[in-house]
Amino acid sequence: MSLENLRNQSFPLKTTDDWKTKAEESLKGKSIETLKSSTYENIILKPLYSRRDDQKAPDYPGGSDFRRGIHPLGYVTNDWKVAQRISYLSVDELKEKLHASVEKGQTAISFEVSEVLFKSKGIIDDILGDLPAKFPFAVNGRGMQSALLEAVAERWGSSEQASGYVGSDPISLFAEEGFIGEDYFKCWLDDIKLANEKLPKLRTVLINTSTYHQGGANAVQELGIAAATGAVYLQKLLDSGMKIEDVPGKMIFQFSIGSNFFMELAKIRAARILWNKITQVYGADSKDRGMHIAAETSLFTKTVFDPYVNLLRSGNEGFAAVVGGVQYLHITPFDDITGSSSLSERIARNTQNILKDEAYLRTIVDPAGGSWYVEALTTELAEKAWQYFQQIEAKGGMLEVLKSGWLQDEISTVYTKREQDVFNRKQSIVGTNVYANIAEVAGYAKVQTFNNPKSVDFTNTINIRKINNVRLSEPFEKLRKISEEIERKSSSKPKIGMICLGELKSYKPRLDFMRGFAAAGGIEAVDSGSITSLESAKQFILKQDTNYFCLCGSNEQYESLGHGILSTLNREFPEQTFYLAGLPEKDVHSKWKNEGITQFIHLKSNCHEILSTILSAMEVELDGRTQA
């Protein structure tokens, strides 16, 4: 073949139907529909996306609906800010950590706000020094925003050096605290207007959806809430006399970034679509409609046990936030739940440096742009979120849906579904409900405390059901604490005996499954070795300091050995509780039950429920022995 002929060669064109045929061949006859999956947002994810799924994506960042970013050249010209939120116990510690951080990659002034900052006049000036002239603020002022703005304005107001944001979201604070103080808005609006005069470069209106994310909300709910809250504040500021050209520049949105990489990436992009649409309706100029976003990696996804896995979670979440196009980012230290250390804070900060300088994310304009999957997911998410925003508005807006409890119920429903998937191990939490290390003893989660929105007496206060901050791993962590308490009282780990039928190759798969299943509750699985007779099973039971046993073996061993052994064991050891690893055919369920099986433990079992029942019974038995 000549070179010319070779150049003219091409691969034959293939259609979607060709792909489906090949895919179903690899699925051994199953339909391609089995590859589809549903998210907590009720979005159906397809196994294949094509150009026709991407009909609405703009051609370039900084234009159209802003989904691809608010700057044409992305981070090349407008780098995101490393806004690691500094925690501290004293003013001196904050000052030391803040100045050290900016020397090591921190590019925004970000810290927790507490009362110690305002104990004496001029203390903010002393802490910050000349940093506001070099770096923007990235601070959630919470209930102390007014005092913080006053301190910042007193020192830097005239020079117009203060930039970034010192914001507060009263509605999210109300949701956290469990009451609505409608009188607070007047004070808050006064602060915003005063700051607008003295600190023109500072954003002061925060829309914080992290509160709802931490309660278990899905991405559609977070976006709908963000849009509804933003609309409330936009209207209030306009009603107070501010002009539409000034208001968007005072606002910043905060999102927590969860573990579903593409969904969270699309969430950031969809948020800009919604805000562009809302501000456009209000008559804002296109140059003012770009949403500024501060993101933080989620605490909802983090664990107390096996905390180093949190490094992977935070890295993944931070990556999604940056690719989504945020302006400020805080990455949670891996041990933040139990109290961060200097090492974990350094790693968290350096994670962003790696994303900037080693992953080269600040040199690529919109790396996700043009992905048919990402663009289609962004569009569908934005459309569903807009519908959710309209639902909130139809019910009277954010304050009304909080007063009625509708929003709390909506979020609770999603959280319950998430929790059930974790209980059934349909959703894996590495180191917690799968691959747990029972030898690990973890620290206790620190108690989070929040400041009230305003230290004044409200004349018009309405109590509402609060949205609690939760983590998906907490139920299993509570089981581990129960297990530790049993071990402390009895000087022995709680155990389940594994009666292994037949040869190693017969029982090992289910024994391994049961080890992992029990470890999620801090329970040790003690195996018997090969059991081939009733007598060896009896001897194993007599040697164990536990009343809980599980048969492990192949289906063949269950039929040939299991029934006969179990019937006698159940009769001779009436105080013992017996389980069976695996799920036999339905026609023999009653037979196993009659022979003494309390429950079948298999892939679809509610792991949390079973382990909770076992540990509760062990506690009762232990207390009974102690009292005797």
Side-chain angles (χ1 to χ4, degrees), residues 376-391:
L377 185 58
T378 298
T379 298
E380 187 169 3
L381 192 54
E383 290 172 350
K384 284 182 174 290
W386 185 258
Q387 293 169 6
Y388 200 78
F389 162 59
Q390 290 177 315
Q391 274 187 277

Side-chain angles (χ1 to χ4, degrees), residues 211 213-216 297-307 310 313 332-339 415 418-419 422-423 427 429 432 442-448 468-478 481 608:
T211 298
H213 175 96
Q214 287 296 125
T297 56
S298 173
L299 275 175
F300 184 74
T301 63
K302 303 305 180 291
T303 62
V304 168
F305 288 94
D306 209 350
N310 291 335
R313 297 182 180 112
T332 308
F334 70 83
D335 56 358
D336 188 70
I337 300 170
T338 54
Y415 174 69
R418 293 184 191 272
E419 187 179 54
V422 170
F423 286 176
Q427 181 173 345
I429 304 178
T432 299
Y444 289 97
K446 63 185 180 183
V447 178
Q448 293 191 22
N468 293 314
N469 283 0
V470 292
R471 290 180 296 105
L472 273 177
S473 61
E474 284 183 284
F476 279 95
E477 290 166 2
K478 290 177 181 177
K481 289 176 184 177
H608 181 270

Side-chain angles (χ1 to χ4, degrees), residues 54 57-58 61 67-68 265 269 323 365-372 374-375:
D54 172 25
R67 73 174 64 197
R68 298 191 62 185
L265 189 166
R269 302 169 107 243
V323 175
V365 180
D366 189 22
S371 162
W372 295 325
V374 171
E375 300 294 3

Side-chain angles (χ1 to χ4, degrees), residues 95 99 123-133 155-156 161:
K95 183 177 180 179
H99 286 264
I123 201 168
I124 297 292
D125 187 9
D126 179 58
I127 293 170
L128 301 180
D130 63 348
L131 292 182
R155 172 63 176 83
W156 295 281
Q161 287 181 331

Side-chain angles (χ1 to χ4, degrees), residues 88-145:
Y88 53 93
L89 296 176
S90 68
V91 171
D92 289 339
E93 182 185 8
L94 171 59
K95 183 177 180 179
E96 180 183 349
K97 290 173 75 171
L98 186 58
H99 286 264
S101 295
V102 298
E103 293 176 0
K104 298 176 181 178
Q106 180 104 343
T107 56
I109 303 167
S110 185
F111 50 86
E112 301 281 1
V113 176
S114 79
E115 293 177 354
V116 301
L117 296 176
F118 309 103
K119 286 186 175 179
S120 63
K121 190 174 179 62
I123 201 168
I124 297 292
D125 187 9
D126 179 58
I127 293 170
L128 301 180
D130 63 348
L131 292 182
K134 303 174 182 177
F135 304 101
F137 283 94
V139 179
N140 181 353
R142 299 185 60 81
M144 298 182 183
Q145 182 196 25

Side-chain angles (χ1 to χ4, degrees), residues 497-511 527-538 540-541 550-567 569 578-581 592 595 597:
M498 299 292 154
I499 301 173
C500 303
L501 303 179
E503 299 178 355
L504 177 64
K505 65 180 181 180
S506 297
Y507 65 75
K508 190 175 188 306
R510 281 176 170 154
L511 172 63
D527 74 272
S528 62
S530 178
I531 295 288
T532 56
S533 66
L534 173 62
E535 189 58 34
S536 57
K538 287 182 182 180
F540 173 69
I541 290 176
C550 181
L551 271 65
C552 292
S554 64
N555 291 342
E556 292 75 17
Q557 293 295 339
Y558 285 162
E559 290 302 314
S560 61
L561 277 175
H563 290 293
I565 288 177
L566 177 63
S567 297
L569 292 179
F578 294 97
Y579 299 91
L580 184 79
W592 283 111
E595 290 169 348
I597 290 297

Side-chain angles (χ1 to χ4, degrees), residues 44-340:
I44 304 300
L45 301 181
K46 302 188 299 183
L48 180 69
Y49 287 81
S50 64
R51 186 181 299 276
R52 61 188 174 191
D53 294 303
D54 172 25
Q55 297 294 321
K56 298 183 181 181
D59 294 330
Y60 59 92
S64 186
D65 57 15
F66 296 104
R67 73 174 64 197
R68 298 191 62 185
I70 61 175
H71 302 294
L73 293 179
Y75 296 136
V76 175
T77 55
N78 294 272
D79 199 3
W80 84 88
K81 306 303 180 185
V82 178
Q84 289 300 121
R85 195 165 53 247
I86 294 173
S87 58
Y88 53 93
L89 296 176
S90 68
V91 171
D92 289 339
E93 182 185 8
L94 171 59
K95 183 177 180 179
E96 180 183 349
K97 290 173 75 171
L98 186 58
H99 286 264
S101 295
V102 298
E103 293 176 0
K104 298 176 181 178
Q106 180 104 343
T107 56
I109 303 167
S110 185
F111 50 86
E112 301 281 1
V113 176
S114 79
E115 293 177 354
V116 301
L117 296 176
F118 309 103
K119 286 186 175 179
S120 63
K121 190 174 179 62
I123 201 168
I124 297 292
D125 187 9
D126 179 58
I127 293 170
L128 301 180
D130 63 348
L131 292 182
K134 303 174 182 177
F135 304 101
F137 283 94
V139 179
N140 181 353
R142 299 185 60 81
M144 298 182 183
Q145 182 196 25
S146 180
L148 186 55
L149 285 175
E150 183 181 349
V152 172
E154 183 178 342
R155 172 63 176 83
W156 295 281
S158 59
S159 64
E160 296 190 0
Q161 287 181 331
S163 61
Y165 72 93
V166 176
S168 181
D169 180 352
I171 294 177
S172 75
L173 288 173
F174 295 153
E176 288 177 3
E177 295 291 342
F179 68 86
I180 292 176
E182 294 184 336
D183 294 343
Y184 173 59
F185 282 114
K186 184 180 183 304
C187 301
W188 178 75
L189 284 169
D190 289 343
D191 291 336
I192 302 306
K193 292 174 71 175
L194 186 61
N196 188 43
E197 296 173 5
K198 294 187 175 181
L199 302 162
K201 293 184 179 180
L202 197 68
R203 294 175 184 264
T204 51
V205 180
L206 180 68
I207 294 91
N208 179 20
T209 66
S210 295
T211 298
Y212 314 100
H213 175 96
Q214 287 296 125
N218 63 32
V220 167
Q221 291 171 330
E222 290 178 62
L223 290 171
I225 290 167
T229 305
V232 170
Y233 295 155
L234 188 59
Q235 188 63 56
K236 283 186 178 293
L237 291 170
L238 291 175
D239 291 344
S240 72
M242 291 181 68
K243 297 178 180 180
I244 185 59
E245 57 264 31
D246 297 326
V247 173
K250 297 286 109 180
M251 305 176 81
I252 186 161
F253 291 74
Q254 179 171 310
F255 291 96
S256 284
I257 308 301
S259 58
N260 187 335
F261 180 83
F262 288 105
M263 185 63 71
E264 297 301 312
L265 189 166
K267 180 174 78 179
I268 297 299
R269 302 169 107 243
R272 291 193 291 267
I273 297 175
L274 298 183
W275 191 237
N276 174 68
K277 191 170 184 177
I278 290 172
T279 50
Q280 186 176 27
V281 170
Y282 273 91
D285 190 89
S286 60
K287 64 181 176 57
D288 300 321
R289 299 203 299 263
M291 174 191 276
H292 281 242
I293 299 174
E296 60 181 14
T297 56
S298 173
L299 275 175
F300 184 74
T301 63
K302 303 305 180 291
T303 62
V304 168
F305 288 94
D306 209 350
Y308 293 106
V309 181
N310 291 335
L311 287 169
L312 304 178
R313 297 182 180 112
S314 290
N316 173 72
E317 293 161 4
F319 187 18
V322 171
V323 175
V326 302
Q327 279 64 58
Y328 300 86
L329 178 61
H330 165 76
I331 289 183
T332 308
F334 70 83
D335 56 358
D336 188 70
I337 300 170
T338 54
S340 60

